[in-house]
Amino acid sequence: MSPILEIQDLHVSVEEQEILSGVNLSVNAGEVHAIMGPNGSGKSTLASTLAGRPEYQVTAGYAHYRGKDLLEMAPEERAREGLFLAFQYPLELPGVRAWQFLKAAADAGRQHRGEEEYSARDFDRMLREKVKLVDIDPELVRRSVNEGFSGGEKKRNEILQMAILEPTLALLDETDSGLDIDALRIVSDGVNRLRRADNAIVLVTHYQRLLNYITPDRVHVLLDGRIVRSGGPELALELEAQGYDWIKEAVEAGESL
Amino acid sequence: MSYYVLEDLYTSWARVHLGECSSCNYGQGTSEGASTTTQWHGPYEERSQAFEKMESLEKDDARGCQLCNP
Ligand SMILES: Nc1ncnc2c1ncn2[C@@H]1O[C@H](COP(=O)(O)OP(=O)(O)O)[C@@H](O)[C@H]1O
Ligand SMILES: [Mg+2]
Ligand SMILES: [Zn+2]
């Protein structure tokens, strides 16, 4: 079976400066991957590149999503093809109610698959189910997208969005700041409820703590724009206990694997 | 036909390529030698030699490149 996401020797620059220097990564269906690493190691750069943000220039390597060249796809095409990207700094859309936004997003995906748009009634029914599934306050979807949302509410909205879109690949970039215990639980419960045999989730995080609630299949450590260690969930525990310094030292000493 | 193996020096990952694959570029890769994470092996004349080499690296994630399907 071919992987959902296949990245090979990816080099990315921002303003002529190389940030990612040869990332290799494959993500198979049914897997949850955690990408960890100290601040400034390039985690968000990797996420932003996969999202197609124009300031991130790919200078070498490739990224394939379900066998197609991801880097050639426009950002909205990525979304239609089942790629979901949740970001550190979510958009605020004053005057657009969360449910309207969610319906538009869900309909775009349906249209792309040659299906009809949701009727108001069907959408409402589906929305109620998902609201229950991710356990959020139904009042949230009647408010303007992210406007005046607390950090926890933004996370809830994001997880709800993911539940509705049922992405094949979800990429969550979780910032180290502003994730209180409540938000941690929302994200981790959401991920745990939404992980399935036919999708994959890549969790970018600075936070070992998040992995107390989610057990990833694979953990990757990004350091200076390179994945220098990959392993199972035990790697996250090691990082929790020892921090990143021992990895830095091992890498500098030229130890591999 | 020539074959190459791309090895990740840090993680348990390797891929076999056809020499003419754009991401292999006959063992040059696309990053003009800038990559410090990987090493190319080859060329090998036979497909089987390249796969044998890859197996000898004992990587968990080892397969053919998705682009060139060697
Ligand atoms: N849009 C950008 N403009 C300029 N520099 C950037 C930009 N994005 C990332 N960088 C630089 O790339 C490096 C890695 O940043 P980032 O990917 O945000 O790391 P992380 O998410 O692991 O903390 C940093 O040195 C940062 O300053
Ligand atoms: Mg970041
Ligand atoms: Zn190839």
Side-chain angles (χ1 to χ4, degrees):
Chain A
M1 195 187 49
S2 59
I4 287 181
L5 180 67
E6 172 89 349
I7 297 177
Q8 184 173 295
D9 198 24
L10 190 68
H11 289 244
V12 174
S13 294
V14 178
E15 293 167 359
E16 312 280 299
Q17 196 184 340
E18 185 164 277
I19 311 292
L20 296 183
S21 314
V23 170
N24 300 312
L25 177 69
S26 7
V27 178
N28 296 305
E31 294 178 345
V32 174
H33 288 233
I35 297 184
M36 312 188 65
N39 259 335
S41 57
K43 303 182 296 297
S44 296
T45 298
L46 178 59
S48 301
T49 303
L50 298 177
R53 289 172 54 176
E55 63 272 35
Y56 295 87
Q57 280 197 314
V58 176
T59 56
Y62 69 75
H64 274 193
Y65 169 66
R66 294 161 94 189
K68 286 191 199 166
D69 187 346
L70 179 65
L71 304 173
E72 287 290 309
M73 291 159 77
E76 58 279 9
E77 195 181 347
R78 299 177 199 216
R80 284 198 305 263
E81 293 282 343
L83 188 67
F84 176 83
L85 304 139
F87 273 98
Q88 249 170 256
Y89 306 105
L91 226 62
E92 292 187 13
L93 298 172
V96 180
R97 289 172 199 273
W99 73 264
Q100 292 172 315
F101 176 77
L102 293 167
K103 184 170 185 302
D107 282 339
R110 285 170 72 92
Q111 269 180 336
H112 181 65
R113 294 190 296 273
E115 298 163 16
E116 273 185 50
E117 289 184 8
Y118 274 111
S119 68
R121 210 171 131 199
D122 286 348
F123 181 76
D124 194 52
R125 187 177 305 147
M126 189 269 294
L127 185 59
R128 275 167 210 259
E129 259 169 49
K130 301 297 184 183
V131 160
K132 226 182 267 170
L133 174 70
V134 296
D135 194 19
I136 74 165
D137 180 354
E139 195 52 42
L140 197 67
V141 299
R142 287 191 265 278
R143 291 167 51 190
S144 289
V145 179
N146 288 327
E147 199 186 16
F149 280 23
S150 69
E153 285 168 342
K154 283 181 184 167
K155 285 290 146 199
R156 287 205 159 82
N157 193 44
E158 188 177 286
I159 294 296
L160 177 63
Q161 201 181 336
M162 186 173 150
I164 287 170
L165 297 178
E166 300 187 324
T168 304
L169 177 64
L171 194 62
L172 308 176
D173 188 353
E174 297 309 334
T175 161
D176 22 314
S177 61
L179 265 196
D180 53 19
I181 286 289
D182 184 40
L184 273 176
R185 279 196 188 278
I186 295 161
V187 172
S188 51
D189 285 353
V191 166
N192 288 328
R193 283 175 205 188
L194 299 174
R195 66 199 287 183
R196 293 196 320 238
D198 63 350
N199 69 13
I201 298 170
V202 176
L203 201 61
V204 175
T205 179
H206 183 75
Y207 241 171
Q208 288 95 297
R209 267 210 295 159
L210 187 56
L211 303 181
N212 293 340
Y213 305 98
I214 299 171
T215 306
D217 300 287
R218 303 289 297 163
V219 175
H220 310 277
V221 180
L222 200 63
L223 196 67
D224 293 336
R226 308 167 300 171
I227 292 176
V228 295
R229 285 290 183 285
S230 290
E234 71 286 348
L235 183 53
L237 297 177
E238 255 178 294
L239 292 169
E240 163 115 61
Q242 306 190 47
Y244 291 108
D245 286 347
W246 66 280
I247 289 196
K248 278 187 201 161
E249 281 160 24
V251 169
E252 276 158 21
E255 292 166 25
S256 59
L257 295 176
Chain B
M1 208 74 108
S2 62
Y3 297 86
Y4 291 80
V5 177
L6 181 61
E7 176 187 11
D8 189 309
L9 296 170
Y10 292 98
T11 67
S12 206
W13 183 102
R15 294 290 182 269
V16 169
H17 286 269
L18 288 171
E20 67 217 44
C21 173
S22 63
S23 78
C24 172
N25 189 22
Y26 300 95
Q28 303 294 304
T30 53
S31 52
E32 292 167 359
S35 189
T36 54
T37 54
T38 52
Q39 185 178 346
W40 288 98
H41 303 276
Y44 304 98
E45 275 177 30
E46 301 291 332
R47 182 179 183 277
S48 60
Q49 293 173 310
F51 275 88
E52 269 163 36
K53 173 63 190 180
M54 182 166 72
E55 261 159 51
S56 76
L57 300 172
E58 298 186 347
K59 301 285 188 179
D60 295 335
D61 184 1
R63 55 185 125 183
C65 163
Q66 231 186 31
L67 213 56
C68 60
N69 263 317

